[in-house]
Amino acid sequence: GTHLRELVKEIRLDRLMIETDAPFLVPRTMPMKPKDGRNEPAFLPYVLQAVADCLAKPPAELAEVTTKTAREFFRLGNPSSGRHP
């Protein structure tokens, strides 16, 4: 996916969400891959870091923006408010 590194720059931040390819395709940037080769949501920080690097943004900032976008898209509400749709 090197071509995706350029394409991700074209996505508006308020439209960007990140995900893993669980249970397949472990992130390439993982230093130690699981022996069974299984991907899981716990590996999302590697995806976040790769996207943050492409956008030259701090991972924490990108995590905040993409979490907000996902919560709005899936109508999950804000956990700190105690209110859910």
Side-chain angles (χ1 to χ4, degrees):
T2 55
H3 67 288
L4 297 176
R5 294 184 179 276
E6 290 303 314
L7 289 176
V8 75
K9 296 174 186 176
E10 302 297 321
I11 302 170
R12 289 180 15 199
L13 284 181
D14 66 339
R15 299 287 188 195
L16 183 64
M17 291 185 267
I18 59 173
E19 65 175 354
T20 64
D21 288 321
F24 308 106
L25 299 175
V26 176
R28 293 178 185 169
T29 58
M30 286 185 68
M32 299 273 302
K33 308 241 188 306
K35 288 182 182 181
D36 63 2
R38 181 178 168 84
N39 193 359
E40 57 185 71
F43 303 153
L44 197 58
Y46 295 102
V47 176
L48 175 67
Q49 184 65 56
V51 175
D53 290 346
C54 291
L55 299 176
K57 299 242 180 241
E61 178 185 327
L62 188 61
E64 185 177 326
V65 169
T66 56
T67 298
K68 180 179 184 287
T69 300
R71 288 192 175 286
E72 289 173 357
F73 182 83
F74 292 107
R75 298 182 180 146
L76 297 175
N78 184 342
S80 63
S81 72
R83 291 182 286 134
H84 296 278

